[in-house]
Amino acid sequence: SVQTQTGQPVLMPNVLSTKIFQRHEGKWLLVHYHASQPHLLLPEASGDARASNPVASASDAADSVKAVDDDFYKAFGELDLDAMVKVWASSGNVTAIQPDFDIPFAGPKEVMESWQAIFRHNTTLLVISPSDAIQVAGNVGWSVGSYEFLAIRRDTGDTVHLPQVLVSKIFEKQGGNWHLVHYHAHIGP
């Protein structure tokens, strides 16, 4: 639950969240938190309250994570499940929280089935101007950002326009290569 400004608790069932902790001076610190509640509509934020375009960290590791992130967006835009599989780690520790679903997906089979369902449901998926800030700590990297999204539904031909989708992705370096291990997206305010 959360509290209102008056201190009254508000029950928020079915909140999906992603948290990243980093060990610093012997303590675990929260360095990233992403939560969403499917189908919850929030009031529009003022222009001043919106995040500015993030800046990626400058390092070879961040550049390598960015290349995998770019491959993710390419596979997404081309509805290419085979290319999407190559972006993801093959370990059993992969997870995804998709904006069209009320449940998280865990394990490679379920995660890829979620992408297959999204690709099957649409004839076109277009990500406009993704702006991801990329951070790396050791063998783990993460990107946080937002993008504009357009889709054309296969069954109706309707166009879906989402002006702001908020996204967190976690990458892990395995066998010398970076792979996606977690994806969390939700529709912004």
Side-chain angles (χ1 to χ4, degrees), residues 54-66 132-137 140-143:
V55 177
S57 65
S59 74
D60 289 340
D63 290 344
S64 296
V65 170
K66 172 82 168 87
D132 294 320
I134 295 175
Q135 299 293 322
V136 176
V140 175
W142 58 96
S143 70

Side-chain angles (χ1 to χ4, degrees), residues 87-130:
V87 169
W88 283 80
S90 59
S91 70
N93 297 326
V94 297
T95 52
I97 298 173
Q98 304 282 13
D100 283 354
F101 299 94
D102 293 342
I103 58 167
F105 298 92
K109 183 175 186 281
E110 283 192 19
V111 169
M112 287 307 122
E113 286 174 353
S114 76
W115 289 113
Q116 186 176 34
I118 290 167
F119 294 169
R120 188 174 45 243
H121 190 63
N122 297 283
T123 60
T124 301
L125 294 173
L126 180 62
V127 172
I128 302 167
S129 302

Side-chain angles (χ1 to χ4, degrees), residues 69-86:
D69 202 30
D70 290 345
D71 289 344
F72 166 84
Y73 284 118
K74 185 173 190 247
F76 183 82
E78 294 177 357
L79 309 173
D80 186 341
L81 190 61
D82 291 334
M84 185 63 78
V85 167
K86 291 177 185 174

Side-chain angles (χ1 to χ4, degrees), residues 18-39:
T18 298
K19 298 173 205 124
I20 301 174
F21 294 88
Q22 183 177 8
R23 195 159 181 80
H24 180 73
E25 296 179 0
K27 296 179 183 176
W28 287 101
L29 303 176
L30 180 67
V31 295
H32 173 73
Y33 180 76
H34 181 160
S36 59
Q37 185 174 21
H39 313 296

